[in-house]
Amino acid sequence: MSGGGSSPYRRHRNDVESAGGFEDYDESASDPFDIVSTKSASVDRLRRWRQAALVLNASRRFRYTLDLKKAEEKKEIVAKIRTHAQVIRAAYLFQAAAAQTNGAEKALSSPIPTGDYSISPDQLASMTRDHDSSALQNFGGVNGLSEKLKTNPDKGIHDDESNLLERKNVFGSNTYPRKKGRSFWRFVLDACRDTTLIILMVAAAASLALGIKTEGIQEGWYDGGSIAMAVIIVIVVTAVSDYKQSLQFQNLNEEKQNIHLEVVRGGRRVEISIFDIVVGDVIPLKIGDQVPADGILISGHSLAIDESSMTGESKIVHKDQKAPFLMSGCKVADGYGTMLVTSVGINTEWGLLMASISEDNGEETPLQVRLNGVATFIGIVGLVVAIAVLIILLARYFTGHSKNPDESVQFTAGKTSLGDAVDGAIKIFTVAVTIVVVAVPEGLPLAVTLTLAYSMRKMMADKALVRRLSACETMGSATTICSDKTGTLTLNLMTVVETYICGKKIDPPNNKSEIPSTLVSLLIEAIAQNTTGSVFLPEGGGNVEVSGSPTEKAILQWGVNLGMDFDVVRSESTIVHAFPFNSEKKRGGVAVKTPASEVHIHWKGAAEIVLAACTSYMDTSGNLVPLDNDKVEYFKKAIETMAVGSLRCVAIAYRPFKWENFPTSDEELEHWQMPEDDLVLLAIIGLKDPCRPNVKDAVQLCIKAGVKVRMVTGDNLQTARAIALECGILESNADAKEPNLIEGKTFRGYSEEQRLQVADKISVMGRSSPNDKLLLVQALRKNGHVVAVTGDGTNDAPALHEADIGLAMGIQGTEVAKESSDIIILDDNFASVVKVVRWGRSVYANIQKFIQFQLTVNVAALVINVVAAVSSGDVPLNAVQLLWVNLIMDTLGALALATEPPTDHLMDRTPVGRREPLITNIMWRNLLIQAMYQVTVLLVLNFDGKRILNLEHETKENALKKKNTLIFNAFVFCQIFNEFNARKPDEFNVFQGVTKNRLFIGIISFTVILQVIIIMFLGKFTTTVRLSWQLWLVSIVIGLISWPLAVVGKLIPVSERPFSKYFTSIYKSCKPSQRRNRGSSRGNGDDT
């Protein structure tokens, strides 16, 4: 039964993704249209399906696919620009070396005053492009350059509009010239390139010339002119639809490039768009960030830059005062620091590179490729039918079997003039070509792009930015989501709620009276120096502004509550070495030189890991007390208690280090390992990050939809367990045991075979490293799952890339993570991930609705015209009428059905298998019932319409025109009513939610109004006559019957097994018998 649990989108047992073995992408697959993932498809594979497709208009069909030729050109341009930059640097180094040999010093080019600045954009661009250290020294180093640029290395520029505007006028804005989008007329030209439309225009021109010659200009232009006008209307409507679609993609592309980042202005960290950066800005950098402009390093610790995007070499370059130049477009691979912006936009190599290459070469999706296969198959059938019709009609015409409405023979050898004969042949040829137009569903593959463009625009409102088109539809096939905890399942609003200091619990956490002053000062030093966040106190007073990651902000706020003056503490001591936080080691540290020439090494990280490195703690008197087993157990119990209460546990520890033992040279410092043992425990803190209010409902919705949610987090296993129970990922405490609940290192320690066995059972993985997440993704994919993964860190990039759908976090995600992802979740909310699943399923469902609608029209139009042509030598639907039907079916049908918003019903189904038949058994049933009904009714009218409609008393010509007009009108109304049926292929109520889709209502109304205008006023062009109200009623009733017919049809049960499998099994059953026959004949031969 189709009304309840069954679905046209249901998964079949033999589907690759439903169960069973994982089938890797097969390069040698025999079907060129069978590409499961275009994410990793080779160029040869992509070229194969293009060559195999039957295409009438290549420029339109392949507009939103990867332009293979442009992709190659882009690689060559990038290589040339990189080579050019390297040659310039090499030449500069050669000159510098020669100058040193000659004892000469490079003369600094005289400054060209620009505005109120004593340095020009060209000088700045030349210095950073050539990595010219001597020029930097001549400018007075970072401080001298800051003075020339009227900025402060610590506080940045003044954040007022006039200052920013002046800097943009003098040094340029951080944008680059973009290639203009295609104009509307380019889309008109593309629409004109359709092979069949070109043929029709040529035929129309010939018909026009012959008509005017034989009948005069007043009457003779109708036949040819009407076809020409119909073709022009098709071209204009197609161009308008395509142009609007391109504007949507253009807006989305601009949104993708609009990176938001923090800059320091007036001493305060503010978030701005990358396009608003100006020369003189001071920008903090951390792991995973993109360098947003060319600049000079002000200060940094262990800063390493991946310059492969500019140099093409996968080489990490360390940056310090000796090598301070930073290039726009590169990524921060490790460490952190601050930079001074010296060049922006087109004055940077990255700007030149981006201006030289086209931004988006398009990308095909697996569904698009499959639909090209469907369109090719249907097109070949249509082409064969059209050729058959052409041959039959020409044969009947030239043998004298074709007659006019008055029963006179159309062609008599030796009597009919050449002009009349050619005109008759052109009309027949035009009908055949128009059948090809209707038969080849050129709009079918383009409907994917249309629904994706619509979905992507709407998904932006649902806080999801799609970076790869294919991810939008693949999300509908997702069987599991591996989600982070912090910020995705939780609110990412952390606060310190529990603290253990001096060997006991401090309540409230900022109660200084119970903590010795020595310990308070050490804690404040640790909090202020071992952080990538910052604290800003407005000069005029007001609330303290804390910035950084949620964890950093919570700890900094706790430090402020303890009496920390951030700027004073940071100025009193100096960071001499840093070990940035590492998701593998789960901790980060700094070595700080104090005014007393002592070194304090501060560590901060996962509580149990830092605790394991501690050997003592400080008591209430400020004395060091050794950590005995009892105290270690006390702290472990405290950590466990906090974790069970869903708190994130962080420990802060330090150790003193003698300045005499500290490395003296930069080289020694580079290889020096900060001591990680014999630490003094200062504090263990518990941070509360509450679950998002709607997350439990979102998880339950996923479970109902057949999508398993797994939590993969770096947090303590007990914290993960508590949050998982709160979110509904674990249903009860009974589920909270191995292998449902597993630690990263345990999973990592398994063999590959064991990982494959355990992966399906895992619901929560705690204390996981990014590599553990990658191993889990690989195991799940090998087990046949379609995996979606969320990630925010740089180290998550491999897992995001490996997954079928990588989902990066928009707020906490690094630029590296975002670039490796397919979709960016703008609000970091798990509920938004679930909305993406709904949209993914909606894409697939909308395409299937459109296929069902279009194939019904295809089958009905072809059968009606073929049967009529073979039997009577005349076709009831002429060229102009068929072009109008094609417009309803192709462009307008796609707009109406491919833009249906998703419904909750979509989440009542299991995920869509990526190799499931596009045309399911339910769809075959629906379209065959409707097509058979339309064909039967309209053929009965064609052959016996005069009697049924009581037209026998009228002249033959008038009766024929009325009958054919009624057939055309009834056929169009059948499509209009059937468009409603196509909205809900497996539901009885086809009107549910119809009022919410204004575009659908608008297109239906537009079609009806235009049909009335065609019949009532444009009879000369369409070869129709005005119908009486009784015949209008007959037309509408014929169309209306399709509604109850659809309801009755949905009561007919269909097999679970796809129809195509029956043909395959019959074919396979025939093959063994053939082999046996051949084998027995060989045996007989041998005996003789």
Side-chain angles (χ1 to χ4, degrees):
M1 298 284 290
S2 56
S6 63
S7 155
Y9 322 106
R10 65 189 167 212
R11 181 186 294 284
H12 296 286
R13 292 187 198 93
N14 57 355
D15 188 74
V16 176
E17 279 78 31
S18 61
F22 172 79
E23 195 168 307
D24 275 329
Y25 174 71
D26 182 14
E27 285 286 329
S28 60
S30 57
D31 183 0
F33 300 105
D34 184 18
I35 300 179
V36 171
S37 171
T38 53
K39 200 171 177 177
S40 54
S42 68
V43 173
D44 287 341
R45 192 83 171 86
L46 297 176
R47 192 173 281 118
R48 268 182 68 197
W49 81 257
R50 286 164 171 73
Q51 291 167 346
L54 175 68
V55 181
L56 298 178
N57 188 344
S59 61
R60 185 166 179 250
R61 178 82 72 89
F62 298 134
R63 181 182 297 138
Y64 295 110
T65 59
L66 179 66
D67 190 323
L68 301 177
K69 190 179 177 184
K70 272 190 183 174
E72 286 298 317
E73 286 173 2
K74 183 176 173 179
K75 281 183 187 174
E76 287 173 14
I77 291 168
V78 170
K80 279 178 188 174
I81 289 173
R82 283 174 178 163
T83 308
H84 177 65
Q86 286 167 355
V87 166
I88 288 172
R89 282 196 204 105
Y92 164 74
L93 291 170
F94 182 74
Q95 285 174 350
Q100 280 179 0
T101 308
N102 299 329
E105 195 175 301
K106 182 181 174 183
L108 181 67
S109 55
S110 59
I112 304 161
T114 316
D116 291 333
Y117 302 94
S118 57
I119 191 166
S120 72
D122 289 342
Q123 285 176 300
L124 289 168
S126 173
M127 177 186 68
T128 47
R129 185 178 60 239
D130 301 341
H131 290 194
D132 189 346
S133 299
S134 62
L136 178 60
Q137 292 310 311
N138 287 326
F139 289 135
V142 173
N143 290 327
L145 196 59
S146 299
E147 282 179 26
K148 288 180 183 293
L149 292 172
K150 297 183 179 179
T151 185
N152 184 301
D154 297 319
K155 295 188 176 181
I157 61 173
H158 294 295
D159 193 10
D160 60 80
E161 281 300 317
S162 59
N163 181 32
L164 296 176
L165 192 61
E166 185 191 2
R167 287 175 186 275
K168 284 182 182 178
N169 289 335
V170 173
F171 299 106
S173 62
N174 200 29
T175 55
Y176 50 86
R178 296 192 183 169
K179 294 186 178 176
K180 284 185 179 178
R182 292 179 170 206
S183 68
F184 171 70
W185 299 108
R186 281 290 301 277
F187 288 94
V188 172
L189 186 65
D190 280 352
C192 291
R193 287 175 177 162
D194 191 301
T195 311
T196 48
L197 293 184
I198 292 168
I199 293 168
L200 284 174
M201 286 300 271
V202 171
S207 179
L208 193 66
L210 283 166
I212 291 169
K213 187 182 176 183
T214 53
E215 297 177 47
I217 195 159
Q218 284 190 333
E219 293 292 324
W221 71 276
Y222 283 117
D223 284 351
S226 57
I227 294 170
M229 283 185 71
V231 169
I232 289 165
I233 290 167
V234 169
I235 286 168
V236 170
V237 172
T238 303
V240 168
S241 171
D242 289 353
Y243 179 62
K244 283 190 172 179
Q245 207 171 306
S246 79
L247 291 178
Q248 287 178 1
F249 279 120
Q250 208 170 306
N251 293 337
L252 287 164
N253 278 333
E254 284 176 14
E255 196 61 43
K256 277 191 248 180
Q257 289 157 356
N258 189 10
I259 297 166
H260 282 81
L261 71 164
E262 283 187 335
V263 299
V264 179
R265 287 182 179 171
R268 177 194 279 128
R269 285 196 187 188
V270 291
E271 189 177 278
I272 63 166
S273 163
I274 192 170
F275 303 130
D276 294 332
I277 287 172
V278 294
V279 168
D281 262 327
V282 172
I283 300 176
L285 297 173
K286 60 183 184 301
I287 294 178
D289 284 351
Q290 177 176 312
V291 180
D294 281 2
I296 307 292
L297 180 68
I298 297 170
S299 65
H301 300 285
S302 307
L303 189 65
I305 305 291
D306 178 4
E307 294 186 345
S308 58
S309 59
M310 286 308 303
T311 62
E313 296 173 15
S314 301
K315 189 179 172 186
I316 305 298
V317 181
H318 291 275
K319 295 291 176 181
D320 51 30
Q321 298 309 319
K322 290 179 182 176
F325 297 100
L326 297 163
M327 287 192 290
S328 177
C330 300
K331 305 290 187 299
V332 180
D334 200 5
Y336 56 90
T338 53
M339 69 174 280
L340 172 66
V341 174
T342 56
S343 296
V344 292
I346 202 70
N347 292 323
T348 68
E349 280 178 30
W350 181 254
L352 285 169
L353 184 68
M354 297 308 289
S356 304
I357 57 179
S358 55
E359 287 160 17
D360 194 19
N361 284 334
E363 167 220 350
E364 53 257 69
T365 72
L367 193 55
Q368 204 175 358
V369 177
R370 288 180 73 191
L371 282 172
N372 269 286
V374 173
T376 298
F377 173 74
I378 298 167
I380 289 168
V381 171
L383 205 58
V384 170
V385 168
I387 291 166
V389 169
L390 179 66
I391 292 167
I392 292 164
L393 289 180
L394 284 174
R396 289 181 67 94
Y397 179 76
F398 286 113
T399 54
H401 288 85
S402 295
K403 294 181 181 178
N404 292 312
D406 59 1
E407 294 296 323
S408 61
V409 176
Q410 288 182 349
F411 178 85
T412 308
K415 291 184 180 177
T416 305
S417 68
L418 180 63
D420 289 344
V422 171
D423 191 38
I426 285 172
K427 283 179 182 174
I428 292 167
F429 181 71
T430 304
V431 169
V433 172
T434 313
I435 288 173
V436 175
V437 174
V438 176
V440 178
E442 193 74 2
L444 197 53
L446 295 169
V448 181
T449 319
L450 183 68
T451 190
L452 285 173
Y454 167 78
S455 302
M456 284 165 72
R457 185 164 51 86
K458 292 289 186 182
M459 282 165 78
M460 279 291 288
D462 280 343
K463 304 297 179 186
L465 171 63
V466 179
R467 294 187 74 252
R468 285 180 66 89
L469 275 178
S470 56
C472 203
E473 67 186 45
T474 308
M475 202 65 189
S477 303
T479 58
T480 186
I481 300 170
C482 298
S483 174
D484 285 337
K485 176 185 77 69
T486 308
T488 309
L489 297 169
T490 61
L491 280 168
N492 224 357
L493 296 172
M494 292 199 181
T495 46
V496 175
V497 293
E498 282 191 35
T499 56
Y500 286 80
I501 303 172
C502 301
K504 63 177 185 176
K505 185 175 179 179
I506 303 294
D507 194 16
N510 53 347
N511 183 4
K512 281 203 298 184
S513 62
E514 295 186 46
I515 312 170
S517 58
T518 318
L519 183 47
V520 171
S521 62
L522 280 170
L523 266 174
I524 285 174
E525 184 182 81
I527 292 166
Q529 294 288 20
N530 192 13
T531 183
T532 53
S534 73
V535 177
F536 174 74
L537 184 63
E539 287 176 11
N543 293 328
V544 170
E545 293 176 20
V546 182
S547 61
S549 71
T551 307
E552 295 284 4
K553 280 164 76 175
I555 296 171
L556 284 168
Q557 186 61 56
W558 179 56
V560 170
N561 296 343
L562 287 174
M564 175 181 74
D565 188 323
F566 185 77
D567 290 331
V568 171
V569 175
R570 284 180 75 95
S571 62
E572 283 176 349
S573 54
T574 313
I575 298 172
V576 286
H577 193 64
F579 179 89
F581 180 83
N582 186 305
S583 52
E584 291 284 347
K585 290 198 169 186
K586 305 288 181 197
R587 61 182 178 272
V590 291
V592 176
K593 186 184 178 185
T594 66
S597 292
E598 293 176 347
V599 176
H600 290 169
I601 291 167
H602 293 285
W603 286 99
K604 178 177 71 184
E608 68 270 30
I609 292 172
V610 173
L611 177 64
C614 293
T615 54
S616 59
Y617 70 98
M618 209 174 272
D619 65 10
T620 49
S621 305
N623 299 318
L624 292 185
V625 181
L627 268 174
D628 55 23
N629 288 338
D630 290 345
K631 211 62 186 173
V632 168
E633 284 306 312
Y634 169 78
F635 283 127
K636 281 185 177 177
K637 186 71 180 168
I639 291 166
E640 194 174 323
T641 305
M642 287 193 286
V644 167
S646 74
L647 302 187
R648 170 176 275 190
C649 303
V650 174
I652 298 172
Y654 106 110
R655 69 169 277 179
F657 193 79
K658 290 183 180 177
W659 179 247
E660 304 88 71
N661 298 336
F662 196 77
T664 51
S665 68
D666 289 344
E667 196 175 326
E668 284 178 14
L669 188 61
E670 197 176 317
H671 298 98
W672 182 63
Q673 292 291 319
M674 268 174 40
E676 301 176 27
D677 57 349
D678 199 20
L679 304 181
V680 179
L681 182 67
L682 299 180
I684 294 174
I685 56 179
L687 298 106
K688 180 70 177 171
D689 186 14
C691 272
R692 289 184 181 271
N694 55 356
V695 75
K696 190 164 189 177
D697 294 337
V699 169
Q700 290 306 312
L701 190 61
C702 281
I703 292 166
K704 187 176 78 166
V707 182
K708 184 174 174 66
V709 181
R710 305 167 203 270
M711 182 200 291
V712 184
T713 177
D715 264 354
N716 183 303
L717 199 60
Q718 294 307 318
T719 307
R721 174 184 167 278
I723 294 287
L725 284 165
E726 202 176 330
C727 293
I729 293 171
L730 291 174
E731 289 181 18
S732 64
N733 281 313
D735 292 335
K737 58 185 179 184
E738 275 197 28
N740 275 12
L741 187 72
I742 197 167
E743 217 172 48
K745 66 179 180 183
T746 308
F747 183 70
R748 197 186 318 146
Y750 288 151
S751 65
E752 188 177 349
E753 194 176 324
Q754 288 172 317
R755 284 200 292 268
L756 291 176
Q757 289 171 357
V758 169
D760 273 353
K761 299 170 188 171
I762 293 172
S763 294
V764 178
M765 186 187 282
R767 280 287 174 250
S768 72
S769 68
N771 192 50
D772 299 331
K773 189 187 273 190
L774 178 62
L775 289 172
L776 178 62
V777 170
Q778 289 170 338
L780 288 168
R781 290 191 75 222
K782 284 179 182 174
N783 281 344
H785 287 281
V786 178
V787 185
V789 167
T790 70
D792 53 15
T794 304
N795 293 334
D796 286 329
L800 289 168
H801 184 75
E802 177 71 21
D804 296 284
I805 313 105
L807 303 157
M809 298 297 109
I811 300 169
Q812 289 303 314
T814 63
E815 282 310 311
V816 171
K818 288 174 188 175
E819 282 205 0
S820 298
S821 70
D822 304 303
I823 297 171
I824 298 171
I825 304 300
L826 299 172
D827 62 353
D828 292 13
N829 191 344
F830 184 77
S832 300
V833 176
V834 180
K835 286 176 185 174
V836 174
V837 175
R838 285 173 88 235
W839 277 108
R841 293 187 178 194
S842 175
V843 167
Y844 200 87
N846 286 350
I847 292 302
Q848 289 192 310
K849 292 169 188 176
F850 181 56
I851 290 173
Q852 180 181 307
F853 172 69
Q854 192 170 51
L855 289 190
T856 306
V857 187
N858 272 347
V859 170
L862 285 176
V863 172
I864 290 165
N865 268 9
V866 169
V867 172
V870 171
S871 56
S872 66
D874 192 20
V875 285
L877 299 171
N878 63 36
V880 177
Q881 292 168 1
L882 282 174
L883 283 171
W884 170 230
V885 168
N886 183 65
L887 198 62
I888 296 171
M889 174 185 78
D890 237 8
T891 309
L892 298 178
L895 276 169
L897 294 169
T899 56
E900 277 279 323
T903 60
D904 292 334
H905 181 64
L906 292 167
M907 298 301 279
D908 294 334
R909 304 164 175 155
T910 52
V912 180
R914 291 192 292 186
R915 277 208 174 102
E916 265 189 41
L918 275 173
I919 310 169
T920 63
N921 291 2
I922 286 174
M923 291 166 67
W924 276 120
R925 177 197 65 196
N926 294 347
L927 77 88
L928 287 173
I929 286 170
Q930 293 295 333
M932 283 166 65
Y933 162 70
Q934 290 178 22
V935 167
T936 306
V937 171
L938 298 180
L939 282 179
V940 166
L941 283 173
N942 187 56
F943 293 118
D944 203 20
K946 286 181 187 178
R947 184 184 61 79
I948 295 168
L949 300 170
N950 198 24
L951 300 173
E952 291 167 326
H953 61 280
E954 296 193 19
T955 63
K956 286 184 178 179
E957 187 174 354
N958 197 38
L960 183 66
K961 278 190 176 180
K962 274 191 179 177
K963 180 198 74 174
N964 283 350
T965 301
L966 178 73
I967 290 170
F968 167 56
N969 204 32
F971 186 65
V972 169
F973 273 98
C974 279
Q975 311 325 317
I976 290 167
F977 285 102
N978 192 38
E979 213 156 342
F980 284 88
N981 291 330
R983 287 185 70 247
K984 307 281 181 183
D986 60 334
E987 295 176 57
F988 288 111
N989 185 5
V990 296
F991 306 107
Q992 188 181 353
V994 73
T995 52
K996 291 178 184 176
N997 191 347
R998 290 180 183 175
L999 189 60
F1000 182 87
I1001 297 293
I1003 285 168
I1004 292 291
S1005 306
F1006 174 75
T1007 309
V1008 171
I1009 291 165
L1010 218 60
Q1011 181 64 18
V1012 171
I1013 291 169
I1014 285 168
I1015 299 297
M1016 301 306 287
F1017 305 108
L1018 300 176
K1020 280 276 190 182
F1021 295 102
T1022 53
T1023 323
T1024 54
V1025 291
R1026 290 188 178 189
L1027 296 176
S1028 62
W1029 69 267
Q1030 293 95 335
L1031 291 181
W1032 270 104
L1033 196 63
V1034 170
S1035 303
I1036 292 167
V1037 168
I1038 289 171
L1040 191 65
I1041 290 170
S1042 68
W1043 283 351
L1045 189 67
V1047 173
V1048 173
K1050 284 169 187 174
L1051 296 170
I1052 302 169
V1054 293
S1055 167
E1056 284 271 350
R1057 193 181 183 196
F1059 287 157
S1060 57
K1061 296 294 174 189
Y1062 290 105
F1063 299 114
T1064 309
S1065 58
I1066 292 166
Y1067 173 70
K1068 283 180 179 176
S1069 64
C1070 294
K1071 287 181 84 174
S1073 61
Q1074 289 170 354
R1075 287 197 194 99
R1076 280 196 297 273
N1077 291 340
R1078 285 199 296 269
S1080 60
S1081 63
R1082 281 197 203 99
N1084 293 337
D1086 291 338
D1087 288 338
T1088 56

